[in-house]
Amino acid sequence: MAKSIILTFVTLLIDRDASTKLPTTVPEFEQPILEEIYGEELVTELESKEMQVEDFDVGAAFAGLVKKYGGNADSDAARARYFNRQRDLEKFIDSRQPSTAKAAAKTTSSAPAKTAAEKRAEKNAAKAAAKAAKDEAVATDFTELLAGDVASITEKLKDLSDADLVAIEAAEAEGQGREDLLAAIDDESESRKQ
């Protein structure tokens, strides 16, 4: 579904080797993939810029990611770690959209604008917190539950907390990645939002 969104584009400098440094501008959601492929210490963010994107199609964007990084197993695995399914990309983009409350606070705030360094520090802290939360969620031991068949696991999903549901989804995505089980987890998550 195409919609109008705010998308952040980042200009990165990728240090390929001693004599090759490649500048590239990509949507913000590609940055963690490139950091995973080349190493976080070899990818430097030079600048970021928010842009209004009309008729953005998340399905086309996800297909583009799969095509772009599907050329070899390592880059495809890096892409899948962050955006295994279209829904993962959609959640990432939605989480970056300004809410009306945030927009109203921005326009009425008399606080001085943040510098690029402050914004980058906040972004890096948020990224580190998200990674730590994801690692902690995956670390929760669901080995016994995930050893069962899809039908028996699906029956037990309704008994899990929201946090456990997120954790088991991450553990399954990192492990066997059974599409039918991931779909059942998605269905359970969606049913709780209604």
Side-chain angles (χ1 to χ4, degrees):
M1 179 174 79
K3 60 182 177 179
S4 176
I5 63 164
I6 301 290
L7 198 57
T8 301
F9 287 87
V10 291
T11 301
L12 305 171
L13 186 64
I14 300 173
D15 191 354
R16 297 283 303 261
D17 57 45
S19 62
T20 310
K21 295 187 185 332
L22 300 174
T24 185
T25 301
V26 296
E28 176 186 32
F29 54 80
E30 285 190 45
Q31 185 172 354
I33 299 170
L34 291 168
E35 288 173 347
E36 175 112 1
I37 293 169
Y38 296 106
E40 197 169 333
E41 67 282 354
L42 299 177
V43 177
T44 306
E45 183 179 322
L46 301 177
E47 68 176 337
S48 65
K49 182 173 155 184
E50 286 187 350
M51 294 178 59
Q52 178 82 27
V53 179
E54 301 296 330
D55 298 324
F56 181 79
D57 184 347
V58 73
F62 179 75
L65 279 179
V66 170
K67 184 175 182 182
K68 183 174 182 178
Y69 294 103
N72 74 50
D74 290 339
S75 62
D76 193 48
R79 187 260 326 147
R81 181 175 321 280
Y82 295 96
F83 307 109
N84 192 37
R85 291 165 296 160
Q86 178 178 323
R87 183 175 156 268
D88 299 330
L89 179 59
E90 192 169 6
K91 281 182 177 178
F92 179 91
I93 291 169
D94 286 347
S95 73
R96 302 297 197 269
Q97 297 310 299
S99 69
T100 53
K102 282 186 195 172
K106 264 188 183 178
T107 58
T108 59
S109 174
S110 61
K114 292 181 182 172
T115 65
E118 289 172 323
K119 288 180 184 177
R120 204 169 20 255
E122 282 181 4
K123 186 174 169 185
N124 288 339
K127 192 188 323 180
K131 185 178 184 325
K134 181 179 178 187
D135 291 346
E136 182 181 329
V138 172
T140 303
D141 188 11
F142 290 105
T143 309
E144 187 177 315
L145 179 60
L146 290 174
D149 61 25
V150 173
S152 66
I153 298 169
T154 302
E155 289 177 21
K156 296 175 183 168
L157 292 178
K158 64 182 176 299
D159 299 328
L160 297 175
S161 69
D162 289 348
D164 285 347
L165 202 59
V166 169
I168 199 164
E169 180 178 31
E172 179 62 20
E174 290 285 321
Q176 297 179 45
R178 295 171 283 193
E179 291 297 322
D180 46 352
L181 179 55
L182 291 170
I185 294 169
D186 283 347
D187 291 345
E188 178 65 26
S189 294
E190 291 302 316
S191 72
R192 293 180 184 195
K193 293 178 185 175
Q194 297 173 358

